[in-house]
Amino acid sequence: MFAALAAALVIHGAYGRWAVALVLPPLWIVAMLAHRTYERGALGLGAEEYLRVLRGAALLPALAGTYWVFTRDAGFLHDMTTAAVPAIAFALPLRYALRRRLHRRWARGRDRSATLLVGPSHGVLELAAVLRRTGGARALHVAGACVSDADHSTQIRRLGVPVLGGAGDLDDVIRAMGIGTVVVLPAPEFDAAVVRRMSWTAAVHAADFLLAPVLTDVSAARLAVRPTNGVPLLRVQAPNLSRLSRLPKEALDRTLAAALLLLFGLPMLLIALIVRLDSTGPALYRQQRVGRYGDHFTMQKFRTMRQDADALRAELEHLNSNSDGLLFKVKKDPRVTRVGSFLRRSSLDELPQLINVVKGHMSLVGPRPPLPEEVEEYTPDIKRRLLVKPGLTGLWQVSGRSDLPWDEAVRLDLGYVDNWSMGLDLSILLRTGSAVVRGTGAY
């Protein structure tokens, strides 16, 4: 509403016509309502929230075009089409500011719904761990769990989630804990009748009732309800991996990478000089990595270690902080040079990878580029990471980088492959800046 009013005043100031100033605000409200941007949960949807605003704004020129067909009022069509631009320019930053405010309130424990997880203990454990990784910036606060078996109850309690009973205790737990949201996970013993009774119990206490799908890490944009003979079936859209759909990404990657190379050209020359002066060896470190479809390429980055770093790796195996997976990372690695330590914390060592992006070996956003010996150990499921180009940044970087357990890094990469969209890429690029500043997991 405020964005529409601001845009209307801009158009009135530019053209001196009040028609748009009077019509734009109510039309904006209708368009936003049609695309569900005012729903209670819309503010926490991330990229989907902004896409809803953009789709709603695109409705304004369409409505004006329909009006023009009947009236031939070209001035009104021009003004409404022009007004959509400032309306978006006001709406998106306002949405971002509101979203940041909401996340800060969540982090302080406000406006969060006390949530009860119900289901098999292994499923509850996995979901509770995922929700916990997001920190305080989430709408759901896991207050407890009701499990159908006790196999993983100890691990659930270690996460700080109390186990409050079984599915049969749902009514008492909701009443005693003031639960606002019930999340039910799939379980063999939860047939349609059992789930229906759970939903009735939640409704009696005015609690939201959510069903977790069997498939996890599926973006909301890929899910849709398809009623068939009165049965609501959940449709999962196939991942968007065709070459044609990725042409805009390819064009954006190479264009933006080339622009960044021009922008950082002189600083990169200065960094190269400092690296050479700090320690013996070349300024650039070249290493074979595996790209899309398993093709090998030479990745470039500023050298941050001694020249004999690869030869010394065997002596440091016992210090590997990623012993649970295939990655090799050592905190306070003695092979890292003085300048190299700073370059790693600031991620400046990765700037030469922009050359790999321009050449088409890498993307700005994607999974971490793996080593050939890592790929040899991949299971068929993990090899799915190779369906897209590796990235200069990705979900792994904005979520903790080297501090992530191997299984979590794989989960994030596979989730990116299956849920890729231009909106997801833009969201990751926007989050990369703050991740670099924090330096979490950069060593």
Side-chain angles (χ1 to χ4, degrees):
M1 178 64 177
F2 294 110
L5 286 173
L9 291 175
V10 169
I11 295 301
H12 172 67
Y15 302 105
R17 289 191 286 266
W18 279 105
V20 172
L22 294 174
V23 174
L24 181 58
L27 281 182
W28 178 270
I29 293 174
V30 170
M32 295 299 109
L33 285 173
H35 287 85
R36 298 179 296 143
T37 65
Y38 295 138
E39 287 183 354
R40 185 177 64 175
L43 199 56
L45 291 178
E48 174 63 21
E49 174 189 352
Y50 303 128
L51 290 175
R52 288 188 185 186
V53 173
L54 291 174
R55 287 193 291 264
L59 187 60
L60 299 179
L63 293 173
T66 304
Y67 179 77
W68 174 83
V69 170
F70 293 100
T71 65
R72 300 296 174 177
D73 187 348
F76 183 79
L77 175 59
H78 171 268
D79 293 351
M80 286 293 291
T81 304
T82 305
V85 176
I88 293 173
F90 283 113
L92 293 183
L94 180 61
R95 285 269 172 171
Y96 177 77
L98 290 174
R99 187 164 179 258
R100 294 294 298 173
R101 178 176 177 270
L102 181 62
H103 283 187
R104 286 194 296 269
R105 291 177 67 85
W106 287 347
R108 292 194 296 265
R110 303 174 64 182
D111 298 334
R112 295 166 69 190
S113 176
T115 302
L116 180 69
L117 306 183
V118 184
S121 61
H122 69 87
V124 169
L125 178 63
E126 290 180 1
L127 182 56
V130 169
L131 292 176
R132 187 182 182 187
R133 290 186 196 111
T134 61
R138 63 174 186 266
L140 303 181
H141 165 62
V142 181
C146 289
V147 296
S148 57
D149 61 84
D151 294 348
H152 298 84
S153 296
T154 302
Q155 294 95 313
I156 294 173
R157 293 189 181 96
R158 286 174 184 167
L159 289 177
V161 178
V163 177
L164 305 171
D169 303 308
L170 190 61
D171 183 74
D172 293 336
V173 172
I174 293 177
R175 183 184 299 107
M177 299 291 294
I179 297 297
T181 303
V182 177
V183 179
V184 177
L185 293 89
E189 55 269 39
F190 291 174
D191 59 18
V194 172
V195 174
R196 187 182 298 112
R197 284 194 294 270
M198 289 183 186
S199 70
W200 292 341
T201 301
V204 168
H205 298 282
D208 290 337
F209 187 77
L210 307 180
L211 290 176
V214 176
L215 289 175
T216 58
D217 296 317
V218 179
S219 67
R222 293 177 56 208
L223 299 177
V225 176
R226 176 184 290 178
T228 302
N229 295 334
V231 179
L233 302 178
L234 190 65
R235 178 179 180 269
V236 181
Q237 184 177 342
N240 192 6
L241 298 175
S242 68
R243 290 182 180 270
L244 182 62
S245 66
R246 289 182 174 265
L247 284 179
K249 175 181 173 68
E250 293 275 352
L252 177 64
D253 280 340
R254 299 199 186 196
T255 302
L256 188 53
L260 290 174
L261 279 175
L262 291 175
L263 178 64
F264 294 115
L266 289 178
M268 288 173 66
L269 290 175
L270 179 60
I271 293 173
L273 177 61
I274 294 174
V275 171
R276 289 295 303 273
L277 294 174
D278 179 63
S279 60
T280 58
L284 291 178
Y285 176 70
R286 296 175 173 87
Q287 190 178 44
Q288 283 291 299
R289 296 293 179 109
V290 181
R292 184 171 57 182
Y293 306 141
D295 296 335
H296 289 208
F297 69 96
T298 301
M299 190 186 76
Q300 304 181 79
K301 61 191 303 185
F302 286 119
R303 182 175 57 83
T304 59
M305 289 187 173
R306 296 163 40 179
Q307 270 193 290
D308 58 349
D310 290 336
L312 295 174
R313 172 171 168 168
E315 300 177 13
L316 301 174
E317 285 287 350
H318 65 287
L319 299 177
N320 184 12
S321 59
N322 280 305
S323 57
D324 61 334
L326 302 178
L327 301 183
F328 181 81
K329 284 288 183 179
V330 176
K331 293 183 178 180
K332 298 181 180 180
D333 196 321
R335 301 172 299 169
V336 177
T337 63
R338 292 173 299 175
V339 170
S341 179
F342 169 76
L343 293 178
R344 288 184 169 217
R345 286 197 307 271
S346 61
S347 297
L348 291 175
D349 62 317
E350 298 175 357
L351 284 178
Q353 292 174 34
L354 290 170
I355 300 173
N356 292 115
V357 177
V358 172
K359 289 182 176 180
H361 300 143
M362 294 179 62
S363 173
L364 289 177
V365 181
R368 186 191 66 85
L371 293 164
E373 53 265 32
E374 293 174 10
V375 175
E376 291 177 1
E377 301 295 326
Y378 280 2
T379 64
D381 286 348
I382 302 178
K383 284 184 178 179
R384 189 170 178 80
R385 299 171 79 246
L386 305 179
L387 292 177
V388 299
K389 291 181 181 180
L392 187 61
T393 183
L395 284 174
W396 50 275
Q397 185 176 49
V398 300
S399 303
R401 301 172 72 175
S402 297
D403 285 343
L404 291 176
W406 167 248
D407 289 343
E408 176 66 4
V410 170
R411 185 186 72 83
L412 289 173
D413 282 344
L414 295 181
Y416 173 82
V417 172
D418 286 345
N419 299 313
W420 173 82
S421 69
M422 288 296 291
L424 178 59
D425 273 9
L426 292 175
S427 173
I428 293 172
L429 287 173
L430 290 173
R431 293 166 58 190
T432 297
S434 61
V436 169
V437 172
R438 291 195 307 270
T440 305
Y443 51 83

